[in-house]
Amino acid sequence: MRFSTLAILAALLAIDAADTAANAGVVVESFSVSPTYVVYPAKPTFDLTLEFDLPVIPGSFSEIVTGSVTLSAGSTDQVILPFSVQEPPGASFTHDFIYSGFGLPSGMYATAYSYSFKDSHRDQFGAELFSTYFSSTGDGPVLTAVPEPSTWAMMVLGFCGLGFMAYRRRNQVPAATAI
């Protein structure tokens, strides 16, 4: 009789823990890249703010959240920022991931983020009771290039040349009317 009561109690606690974990999560509060116009060698600043809402698991003594955030610019430039924190059970907190180390040449770059975290619930002896995994991806603003001064100078010279050609054509007398 006692064993069945304990088994039912353990099953109810497991169901409650699973239900509580389903209501917890990691939410992207904001993602920004500034400036969005880059000039070589550009070093835009990426700022990803995540809000963690950790579940309360009965019997849990502490929670350890480990994982990483990946920030990318274009298809080849990316950085992985590791993350690890120990919090009391059921904690809610916000964390900023800031990076400004990309040395981007002029061009257009799509920006994106992804994250993956494991939330481990531990008992007072450090043994893992329950784990929850969170992951997601998202897109950010497109980084575009600001033309260099030499590009502006060539463009102005081109417009001046077109204007001069139009001026010369207007002042020429057509050959058919000269007779």
Side-chain angles (χ1 to χ4, degrees):
M1 184 77 172
R2 226 177 224 192
F3 178 73
S4 63
T5 306
L6 287 175
I8 291 172
L9 182 60
L12 288 175
L13 284 175
I15 290 171
D16 183 45
D19 182 46
T20 305
N23 294 330
V26 178
V27 177
V28 176
E29 197 169 280
S30 67
F31 178 59
S32 65
V33 180
S34 63
T36 55
Y37 297 102
V38 295
V39 179
Y40 181 77
K43 294 210 181 275
T45 300
F46 287 68
D47 185 359
L48 175 65
T49 303
L50 297 179
E51 184 179 331
F52 293 80
D53 186 17
L54 304 178
V56 176
I57 302 297
S60 178
F61 188 72
S62 69
E63 290 186 64
I64 298 175
V65 179
T66 57
S68 64
V69 168
T70 302
L71 302 173
S72 61
S75 59
T76 58
D77 293 318
Q78 70 177 12
V79 64
I80 298 173
L81 305 173
F83 179 73
S84 181
V85 66
Q86 183 169 352
E87 292 287 332
S92 292
F93 61 95
T94 302
H95 188 77
D96 279 335
F97 295 89
I98 299 174
Y99 182 75
S100 62
F102 292 125
L104 301 174
S106 296
M108 290 185 65
Y109 300 94
T111 60
Y113 67 87
S114 64
Y115 64 80
S116 178
F117 295 104
K118 176 184 178 184
D119 179 19
S120 300
H121 299 268
R122 309 275 174 161
D123 65 10
Q124 66 269 24
F125 304 111
E128 188 173 309
L129 298 173
F130 188 79
S131 291
T132 309
Y133 294 88
F134 305 102
S135 64
S136 184
T137 60
D139 296 327
V142 173
L143 298 178
T144 57
V146 173
E148 296 180 13
S150 62
T151 305
W152 284 106
M154 290 295 290
M155 189 170 62
V156 168
L157 276 173
F159 284 130
C160 288
L162 287 173
F164 182 71
M165 286 177 52
Y167 171 76
R168 292 281 309 243
R169 282 194 178 168
R170 188 176 47 161
N171 290 337
Q172 288 181 351
V173 178
T177 59
I179 297 180

